[in-house]
Amino acid sequence: MLPDRPLPGVLDLPSERKARGAFFTPVSVTRHLAEWALVDASDRVLEPSAGEAAFLAAAVDRLKELGADKPLVDGVEIHGPSAESARLIVGEAGGEAAIRVSDFFLVEAQARFDAVIGNPPFIRYQDWTGDQRDRARFAALDQGVALTGLASSWAAFVVHAAGFLKPGGRLGLVLPAELLSVNYAAPVRRFLLERFAHVELVVFDEQIFSDAEADTVLVKASGWGLRGTGAATLRQTRNAESLSSLDVGTSWLPLDTGDRWPALQLSDTTLRAVGNARGDGSFTPLSTWGETSLGAVTGGNRFFALSPERVRELAIPRRDLLRVSPPGSTHLRSLALTRDAISRLGRNGESTWLLYPSSNPAKATMEYIAQGHATGVDQAYKCRVRSPWWRVPVLAAPDLFLTYMNAATVQLATNEVEARHLNSVHGVYLKPEVRDLGRELLSVAALNSFTTLSAESVGRSYGGGILKMEPREADGWMVPSPEAISTRRDDLLAIRPTVRRLLQQKKLNQAVRLVDSVLLSAMTSSELESVRNDQAKLADRRVARGRSGRKLRRQP
Ligand SMILES: C[S@@+](CC[C@H](N)C(=O)[O-])C[C@H]1O[C@@H](n2cnc3c(N)ncnc32)[C@H](O)[C@@H]1O
């Protein structure tokens, strides 16, 4: 945490900077975007949230390289002292800056610039309110883009900034990676793909801002106002320093231009294999099997989740309890939560019971509730907001558990004991027509290389390199289809004991290879190798990001 006092050479307090979304961009990034966006000494450039002119200084260097004598560059900045220092910095770089001190959304868009480059403020909608936000949304509407009230500040910046470009102009921005995925950014994705001739994205393996909370992408959109192809190119690089050696990248064409964009670069061979697996119906999103739901939030697991020993001590009878999968997910890494497993967990002191008083609670149960009241459990937020505070809202027992916080990969486990789920795992409720098959074999079948690759792509990287998957993301997770599993049912049943043993021995990769031999036999060996390599590459990248992030980050 930075101290709330001006840092040396910096003009204002960290808290004020955070409120304005002021994080400054590394030189390797500003240089990269300036070199890409400016191609002629006479190019005119605007930086819409100029801060202390990081991009304009790079633009001056670039224009001088191209032969300009004393380049004139333009900027807009809401914070007067920053604008003043921007002028000085551009002057020192050998240029001249016209910096307007204003809210960018009060500046009317005029098509005067060959390039707009910059790093817009990332201010979340909760912190970005009132007139300022309304102005931003109106400015976006001028370009025909309707943003919802949930949009962060950067979204309107992208749209309004484009309005300053001459036809054919280039927009080069540093944006949060949520551009690729969040719903509120769908109109921005559509805008970019439809209103620019070409869009390129650069994603990073490591975080480029150590002090900001979000992962970042570079957007390089060229050919403003020319008819877009609807296609974009994705390039992936390690960090800001490796920007100078970008590879050719991969192109993709979303079905709908507002669709979520892939944040991942997959090889052509993998993409072909993915296309085939979708096309022949052997893989389907998990949502075709059923629904995935969050688990129960108790408000105090220590009070509500009880070990068998504790239950005996308190003399709480069975009618006031529900079977529960104990907090955590380590015990769900071997295909099923079985009767034996839950007894063993209970004997080891795990909390396999949930306090769930019946309509006629026993005296011992009432005493335990009174004890909770006396020790303030009823004051925990989740308890305070429900009535009675001691009744945890639970769903029916799911067919399968889904481990959503993972070091290696997302796993399913069949619920053989009718246990409820707490919020450390998700529950999957299968559709009646596939219920028996799914309970029998989906947890084994999902351990294949294609599905583990899909987990990296639909999930998100959480603090420390953990792969996290929310229920909505799980809906899109590609798993073997009911047809594919029924066709290979006998083979899958035959390997299931070995897969379980390998998992117990923590040999996940070997287990996956065994399942691949049954379910991915239609792939060529080079396709299979490519899918595995890409999965490993993405998992490594997630872990590398975890290491480079300084604190727990939540990607929206
Ligand atoms: C992420 S910083 C980027 C600064 C600089 N472009 C850089 O890359 O180093 C965002 C800047 O936007 C400014 N800003 C925030 N809201 C603004 C608005 N509505 N209009 C103009 N500038 C704004 C902040 O004061 C801050 O200097």
Side-chain angles (χ1 to χ4, degrees):
M1 184 78 191
L2 291 175
D4 204 16
R5 68 181 125 76
L7 298 170
V10 171
L11 303 164
D12 54 357
L13 302 176
S15 57
E16 290 166 352
R17 300 170 72 76
K18 188 157 189 265
R20 285 186 288 122
F23 292 102
F24 298 114
T25 314
V27 175
S28 38
V29 173
T30 57
R31 194 187 312 124
H32 177 78
L33 285 179
E35 284 175 2
W36 167 79
L38 299 169
V39 292
D40 190 282
S42 64
D43 278 350
R44 296 298 311 270
V45 59
L46 170 75
E47 182 174 5
S49 51
E52 282 141 54
F55 284 87
L56 292 182
V60 167
D61 290 346
R62 170 66 174 163
L63 290 169
K64 285 172 71 175
E65 243 170 58
L66 290 168
D69 181 26
K70 188 172 186 195
L72 173 64
V73 293
D74 287 72
V76 180
E77 169 57 50
I78 204 165
H79 183 241
S82 297
E84 187 48 43
S85 115
R87 287 183 199 105
L88 293 174
I89 288 169
V90 169
E92 277 164 21
E96 192 181 332
I99 310 278
R100 179 152 164 191
V101 179
S102 168
D103 178 344
F104 179 52
F105 297 105
L106 286 175
V107 183
E108 196 188 335
Q110 285 179 341
R112 289 201 296 128
F113 296 94
D114 301 282
V116 176
I117 53 177
N119 174 3
F122 309 169
I123 310 171
R124 300 227 161 277
Y125 77 96
Q126 305 93 321
D127 304 320
W128 198 50
T129 48
D131 291 354
Q132 214 187 8
R133 189 171 77 186
D134 293 344
R135 280 198 294 272
R137 286 174 70 192
F138 280 123
L141 264 185
D142 272 353
Q143 291 290 347
V145 177
L147 295 171
T148 74
L150 294 178
S152 296
S153 60
W154 62 265
F157 260 84
V158 176
V159 178
H160 190 47
F164 288 78
L165 289 171
K166 295 181 194 164
R170 290 171 294 281
L171 180 67
L173 296 176
V174 177
L175 295 176
E178 67 189 39
L179 162 70
L180 311 182
S181 58
V182 293
N183 289 339
Y184 79 70
V188 182
R189 295 193 282 273
R190 189 168 293 128
F191 173 77
L192 289 169
L193 287 183
E194 293 179 359
R195 306 279 292 274
F196 285 87
H198 193 259
V199 177
E200 178 185 322
L201 299 174
V202 182
V203 297
F204 298 92
D205 294 342
E206 296 171 6
Q207 288 217 300
I208 59 169
F209 290 92
S210 54
D211 51 351
E213 288 180 15
D215 284 341
T216 310
V217 291
L218 303 190
V219 171
K220 294 151 76 175
S222 56
W224 166 243
L226 307 178
R227 204 181 146 66
T229 57
T233 303
L234 180 75
R235 291 165 145 197
Q236 188 174 324
T237 191
R238 177 149 284 280
N239 52 31
E241 269 59 53
S242 55
L243 274 171
S244 49
S245 52
L246 284 177
D247 60 12
V248 281
T250 46
S251 295
W252 87 96
L253 188 71
L255 290 177
D256 177 315
T257 47
D259 277 357
R260 196 176 153 161
W261 292 351
L264 316 162
Q265 188 174 324
L266 304 178
S267 73
D268 289 344
T269 312
T270 300
L271 287 172
R272 204 171 46 240
V274 170
N276 291 343
R278 277 171 183 263
D280 68 13
S282 53
F283 282 80
T284 47
L286 184 62
S287 60
T288 57
W289 283 89
E291 219 175 278
T292 302
S293 301
L294 294 170
V297 181
T298 62
N301 281 352
R302 280 164 62 103
F303 179 79
F304 290 101
L306 303 166
S307 67
E309 193 185 343
R310 184 87 176 115
V311 165
R312 274 192 297 277
E313 224 174 79
L314 297 165
I316 296 179
R318 179 70 179 81
R319 71 169 191 276
D320 292 335
L321 298 166
L322 286 177
R323 264 274 176 237
V324 74
S325 168
S329 64
T330 324
H331 57 282
L332 298 175
R333 306 264 168 201
S334 50
L335 304 182
L337 184 58
T338 61
R339 214 155 278 288
D340 279 357
I342 200 143
S343 307
R344 198 173 45 249
L345 288 163
R347 280 197 303 279
N348 292 341
E350 298 275 349
S351 304
T352 53
W353 294 105
L354 178 72
L355 180 74
Y356 195 77
S358 58
S359 50
N360 176 26
K363 189 161 162 281
T365 309
M366 293 310 288
E367 281 167 11
Y368 185 56
I369 292 174
Q371 204 179 311
H373 181 73
T375 52
V377 180
D378 61 332
Q379 290 309 308
Y381 173 68
K382 282 289 171 186
C383 300
R384 240 187 310 135
V385 297
R386 68 184 178 225
S387 173
W389 68 266
W390 38 264
R391 163 92 16 94
V392 176
V394 287
L395 294 174
D399 293 307
L400 298 148
F401 301 106
L402 184 151
T403 65
Y404 75 91
M405 296 286 259
N406 306 281
T409 194
V410 176
Q411 281 179 254
L412 293 169
T414 307
N415 183 5
E416 293 184 4
V417 293
E418 290 282 299
R420 311 304 168 108
H421 65 301
L422 300 176
N423 65 342
S424 43
V425 291
H426 298 329
V428 181
Y429 297 84
L430 298 174
K431 293 179 182 169
E433 61 276 20
V434 292
R435 186 160 184 261
D436 290 344
L437 186 67
R439 288 177 60 87
E440 184 177 54
L441 284 170
L442 189 53
S443 63
V444 189
L447 281 172
N448 67 79
S449 294
F450 186 73
T451 298
T452 53
L453 171 71
S454 168
E456 297 292 338
S457 131
V458 300
R460 55 185 74 192
S461 139
Y462 196 67
I466 294 289
L467 172 61
K468 185 175 180 196
M469 194 185 277
E470 299 291 6
R472 282 250 308 262
E473 294 160 347
D475 286 345
W477 183 33
M478 297 302 281
V479 295
S481 64
E483 296 69 34
I485 296 188
S486 342
T487 315
R488 311 314 297 265
R489 179 164 176 264
D490 291 344
D491 297 330
L492 286 167
L493 284 173
I495 60 166
R496 189 170 62 177
T498 316
V499 171
R500 179 173 299 132
R501 203 179 50 249
L502 289 168
L503 292 175
Q504 281 160 352
Q505 295 167 352
K506 307 229 176 315
K507 295 179 177 161
L508 176 67
N509 280 344
Q510 284 185 39
V512 169
R513 278 169 186 259
L514 188 56
V515 178
D516 285 354
S517 69
V518 171
L519 284 176
L520 302 185
S521 53
M523 278 191 193
T524 63
S525 54
S526 67
E527 281 174 345
L528 191 52
E529 196 184 316
S530 163
V531 167
R532 286 179 183 152
N533 285 346
D534 279 352
Q535 189 276 337
K537 197 171 76 183
L538 297 180
D540 287 351
R541 171 167 173 252
R542 156 167 65 82
V543 173
R545 280 167 170 233
R547 275 199 220 106
S548 63
R550 286 197 320 198
K551 53 189 163 190
L552 277 188
R553 316 184 281 292
R554 267 167 248 261
Q555 286 188 2

